[in-house]
Structures are given as structure tokens and as C-alpha cells.
């Protein structure tokens, strides 16, 4: 891993993730389970990720 990447683990499916350098508060999608994750903390090249609650649009059907 270079200094231009970050590592972390999806809290839902436990997939190991390596992504280009991002900042706290940014979001990304897990390629395995497709959940939206927010970077809560970055420490020593590791991200702490939390699921972002998404609301599905009600189409009135």
C-alpha cells in the first residue's frame, strides 16, 4: 500500500477495501454489497467506515 491509498473494511460484509486517498466525511460504495459508506476517521492509512442510511424514494405505488 502506498501513501496515496487508504485501507478499510466494510462493516456489513467485511470486504477489505483499498481506495485512493480520500478525506473524512467522503462517501464510497462497497463493491461487494453495494452499501454506501462514509469515512468517519482516518488513522495511519486505515479508514473507519460506517453505513450511510439511505431512504428509498416512495413512488406512490
Amino acid at each position: 500500500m502506498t501513501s496515496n491509498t487508504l485501507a478499510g473494511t466494510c462493516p456489513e460484509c467485511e470486504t477489505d477495501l483499498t481506495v485512493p486517498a480520500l478525506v473524512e466525511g467522503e462517501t464510497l460504495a462497497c463493491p461487494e454489497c453495494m452499501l454506501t459508506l462514509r469515512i468517519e476517521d482516518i488513522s495511519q492509512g486505515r479508514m473507519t467506515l460506517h453505513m450511510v442510511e439511505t431512504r428509498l424514494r416512495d413512488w406512490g405505488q
Side-chain angles (χ1 to χ4, degrees), residues 44-60:
Q44 298 178 351
R46 298 260 332 147
M47 302 176 287
T48 302
L49 300 167
H50 291 278
M51 290 184 288
V52 174
E53 185 176 331
T54 58
R55 295 178 184 239
L56 298 177
R57 185 176 289 184
D58 181 4
W59 293 98

Side-chain angles (χ1 to χ4, degrees):
M1 181 171 72
T2 68
S3 62
N4 293 333
T5 61
L6 296 171
T9 303
C10 176
E12 180 68 19
C13 69
E14 298 182 358
T15 296
D16 290 326
L17 304 170
T18 302
V19 298
L22 299 170
V23 296
E24 290 179 25
E26 285 194 78
T27 59
L28 57 117
C30 174
E32 188 66 31
C33 66
M34 302 307 292
L35 280 178
T36 301
L37 306 169
R38 180 176 40 245
I39 301 171
E40 294 294 323
D41 185 47
I42 299 172
S43 177
Q44 298 178 351
R46 298 260 332 147
M47 302 176 287
T48 302
L49 300 167
H50 291 278
M51 290 184 288
V52 174
E53 185 176 331
T54 58
R55 295 178 184 239
L56 298 177
R57 185 176 289 184
D58 181 4
W59 293 98
Q61 297 178 2

